Coordinates of all heavy atoms in Angstrom, one line a residue:
A20 N 71.9 65.9 33.4 CA 72.4 67.2 33.0 C 72.9 68.0 34.2 O 73.2 69.1 34.1 CB 71.2 67.9 32.4
G21 N 72.9 67.3 35.4 CA 73.5 67.9 36.6 C 72.5 68.8 37.4 O 72.8 69.5 38.3
L22 N 71.1 68.5 37.1 CA 70.1 69.3 37.8 C 69.5 68.4 38.9 O 68.6 67.7 38.6 CB 69.0 69.7 36.8 CG 69.5 70.5 35.6 CD1 68.4 70.8 34.6 CD2 70.2 71.9 36.0
V23 N 70.1 68.4 40.0 CA 69.6 67.6 41.1 C 68.4 68.2 41.7 O 68.3 69.3 42.1 CB 70.7 67.5 42.2 CG1 70.3 66.7 43.4 CG2 72.1 66.9 41.6
P24 N 67.3 67.4 41.9 CA 66.0 67.9 42.3 C 66.1 68.5 43.8 O 66.8 67.9 44.6 CB 65.1 66.7 42.3 CG 65.7 65.7 41.4 CD 67.2 66.0 41.5
K25 N 65.3 69.6 44.0 CA 65.3 70.0 45.4 C 64.4 69.2 46.2 O 64.6 69.0 47.4 CB 64.7 71.5 45.3 CG 64.5 72.1 46.7 CD 64.0 73.6 46.6 CE 63.8 74.1 48.0 NZ 63.3 75.6 47.9
V26 N 63.3 68.7 45.6 CA 62.4 67.8 46.2 C 61.8 66.9 45.2 O 61.6 67.2 44.1 CB 61.3 68.7 46.9 CG1 60.5 69.5 46.0 CG2 60.3 67.8 47.7
V27 N 61.5 65.7 45.7 CA 60.9 64.6 44.8 C 59.7 64.1 45.6 O 59.8 63.8 46.8 CB 61.8 63.5 44.5 CG1 61.1 62.3 43.9 CG2 62.9 64.0 43.5
F28 N 58.5 64.1 44.8 CA 57.3 63.4 45.5 C 57.1 62.1 44.7 O 57.2 62.1 43.5 CB 56.1 64.3 45.2 CG 56.2 65.7 45.8 CD1 56.8 66.8 45.2 CD2 55.7 65.9 47.1 CE1 56.9 68.0 45.8 CE2 55.7 67.1 47.6 CZ 56.4 68.2 47.0
W29 N 56.7 61.1 45.4 CA 56.4 59.8 44.9 C 55.2 59.1 45.4 O 54.8 59.4 46.6 CB 57.7 58.9 45.0 CG 57.9 58.4 46.4 CD1 58.5 59.2 47.4 CD2 57.6 57.2 46.9 NE1 58.6 58.5 48.6 CE2 58.1 57.2 48.3 CE3 56.9 56.0 46.5 CZ2 57.9 56.1 49.2 CZ3 56.8 54.9 47.4 CH2 57.2 55.0 48.8
S30 N 54.5 58.3 44.7 CA 53.4 57.5 45.2 C 53.6 56.1 44.9 O 54.5 55.7 44.2 CB 52.1 58.1 44.5 OG 52.1 57.9 43.1
E31 N 52.7 55.3 45.3 CA 52.8 53.8 45.2 C 52.9 53.3 43.8 O 53.4 52.2 43.5 CB 51.7 53.1 46.0 CG 50.3 53.5 45.4 CD 49.2 53.0 46.2 OE1 49.4 52.6 47.3 OE2 48.0 53.0 45.8
E32 N 52.5 54.1 42.8 CA 52.6 53.6 41.4 C 54.0 53.5 41.0 O 54.3 52.9 39.9 CB 51.8 54.6 40.5 CG 50.2 54.5 40.7 CD 49.8 55.3 41.7 OE1 50.7 56.1 42.4 OE2 48.6 55.4 42.1
Y33 N 54.8 54.3 41.6 CA 56.3 54.4 41.1 C 57.0 53.1 41.6 O 57.1 52.8 42.7 CB 56.9 55.6 41.7 CG 58.4 55.7 41.4 CD1 58.8 55.8 40.0 CD2 59.4 55.8 42.4 CE1 60.2 55.9 39.7 CE2 60.8 55.9 42.0 CZ 61.1 56.0 40.7 OH 62.4 56.0 40.5
Q34 N 57.6 52.5 40.6 CA 58.5 51.3 40.9 C 59.9 51.7 40.7 O 60.4 52.0 39.6 CB 58.2 50.2 39.8 CG 56.7 49.7 39.9 CD 56.3 49.1 41.2 OE1 57.1 48.4 41.8 NE2 55.1 49.4 41.7
D35 N 60.6 51.9 41.8 CA 62.0 52.5 41.8 C 63.0 51.3 41.5 O 63.7 50.8 42.4 CB 62.3 53.1 43.2 CG 63.6 54.0 43.1 OD1 64.1 54.1 42.0 OD2 64.0 54.4 44.2
Q36 N 63.0 51.0 40.3 CA 63.8 49.8 39.9 C 65.3 50.1 39.8 O 66.1 49.2 39.9 CB 63.4 49.3 38.5 CG 62.0 48.8 38.5 CD 61.5 48.5 37.0 OE1 62.1 48.8 36.1 NE2 60.4 47.7 37.0
H37 N 65.7 51.4 39.7 CA 67.0 51.8 39.6 C 67.6 52.6 40.8 O 68.7 53.1 40.8 CB 67.3 52.7 38.4 CG 66.8 52.0 37.1 ND1 67.4 50.9 36.5 CD2 65.7 52.3 36.3 CE1 66.8 50.5 35.4 NE2 65.8 51.2 35.3
G38 N 66.9 52.5 41.9 CA 67.4 53.1 43.1 C 67.5 54.6 43.1 O 68.4 55.2 43.7
F39 N 66.5 55.3 42.3 CA 66.6 56.7 42.2 C 66.3 57.4 43.5 O 67.0 58.4 43.9 CB 65.6 57.2 41.2 CG 65.6 58.6 40.8 CD1 66.8 59.2 40.3 CD2 64.6 59.5 41.2 CE1 66.8 60.6 40.0 CE2 64.6 60.8 40.8 CZ 65.7 61.4 40.3
L40 N 65.3 57.0 44.3 CA 65.0 57.6 45.6 C 66.1 57.6 46.7 O 66.5 58.7 47.2 CB 63.7 57.0 46.1 CG 62.4 57.2 45.3 CD1 61.2 56.6 46.0 CD2 62.3 58.7 45.0
P41 N 66.8 56.5 46.8 CA 68.0 56.5 47.7 C 69.1 57.5 47.2 O 69.7 58.2 48.1 CB 68.5 55.1 47.7 CG 67.3 54.3 47.4 CD 66.5 55.1 46.4
L42 N 69.3 57.5 45.9 CA 70.3 58.4 45.3 C 69.9 59.9 45.6 O 70.8 60.7 45.9 CB 70.3 58.2 43.8 CG 71.4 59.0 43.0 CD1 72.8 58.5 43.5 CD2 71.3 58.6 41.5
C43 N 68.6 60.1 45.5 CA 68.1 61.5 45.8 C 68.5 61.9 47.3 O 68.9 62.9 47.6 CB 66.7 61.7 45.5 SG 66.2 61.8 43.8
R44 N 68.1 60.9 48.2 CA 68.3 61.2 49.6 C 69.8 61.4 49.9 O 70.2 62.3 50.7 CB 67.8 60.0 50.4 CG 66.2 59.8 50.3 CD 65.8 58.7 51.3 NE 64.4 58.6 51.3 CZ 63.7 57.6 50.6 NH1 64.4 56.8 49.9 NH2 62.4 57.5 50.6
Q45 N 70.6 60.7 49.3 CA 72.0 60.7 49.4 C 72.6 62.1 48.9 O 73.6 62.7 49.5 CB 72.9 59.6 48.8 CG 72.6 58.3 49.3 CD 73.2 57.2 48.4 OE1 74.0 57.5 47.4 NE2 72.8 56.0 48.7
S46 N 71.9 62.8 48.0 CA 72.3 64.0 47.5 C 71.6 65.2 48.1 O 71.8 66.3 47.7 CB 72.0 64.0 45.9 OG 72.7 62.9 45.3
G47 N 70.9 64.9 49.1 CA 70.3 66.0 49.9 C 68.9 66.4 49.4 O 68.3 67.4 49.9
T48 N 68.4 65.7 48.5 CA 67.1 66.0 48.0 C 66.0 65.5 49.0 O 66.1 64.5 49.6 CB 66.7 65.2 46.6 OG1 67.7 65.7 45.7 CG2 65.3 65.5 46.2
R49 N 64.9 66.4 49.2 CA 63.9 66.0 50.1 C 63.0 65.0 49.4 O 62.5 65.4 48.3 CB 63.2 67.3 50.5 CG 62.1 67.0 51.7 CD 61.6 68.3 52.3 NE 60.6 68.9 51.6 CZ 60.8 70.0 50.8 NH1 62.0 70.6 50.9 NH2 59.8 70.6 50.2
V50 N 62.7 63.9 49.9 CA 61.9 62.9 49.4 C 60.5 62.8 50.1 O 60.6 62.6 51.4 CB 62.6 61.5 49.3 CG1 61.6 60.5 48.7 CG2 63.9 61.7 48.4
V51 N 59.4 63.0 49.4 CA 58.1 63.0 50.1 C 57.2 62.0 49.5 O 57.0 62.0 48.3 CB 57.5 64.5 50.0 CG1 56.2 64.5 50.7 CG2 58.4 65.5 50.5
A52 N 56.5 61.2 50.3 CA 55.5 60.3 49.8 C 54.1 60.9 49.8 O 53.9 61.6 50.8 CB 55.5 59.0 50.7
V53 N 53.5 60.6 48.7 CA 52.1 61.1 48.6 C 51.1 60.0 48.1 O 51.6 59.0 47.6 CB 51.9 62.3 47.7 CG1 52.8 63.5 48.1 CG2 52.3 62.0 46.3
T54 N 49.9 60.2 48.3 CA 48.9 59.2 47.8 C 48.8 59.4 46.3 O 49.2 60.5 45.7 CB 47.5 59.4 48.5 OG1 47.0 60.7 48.1 CG2 47.6 59.3 50.0

C-alpha cells in the first residue's frame, strides 16, 4: 500500500524467505534485532 516502515524489529524466529529485511534497509528503514 506504499507504507514503508520507519523501523522494523526482528528476532530469530523470523525466517526472511523473501528478502524483506534487505529491502527495508535499501529503503531507509531502520532494522533492529531483538531477542
Side-chain angles (χ1 to χ4, degrees):
L22 304 175
V23 177
K25 177 179 180 178
V26 58
V27 165
F28 298 89
W29 68 282
S30 62
E31 58 189 12
E32 291 84 4
Y33 176 58
Q34 302 296 318
D35 192 10
Q36 298 175 345
H37 303 289
F39 183 65
L40 295 180
L42 186 62
C43 286
R44 293 187 180 97
Q45 292 169 15
S46 300
T48 299
R49 189 167 79 253
V50 177
V51 181
V53 300
T54 63

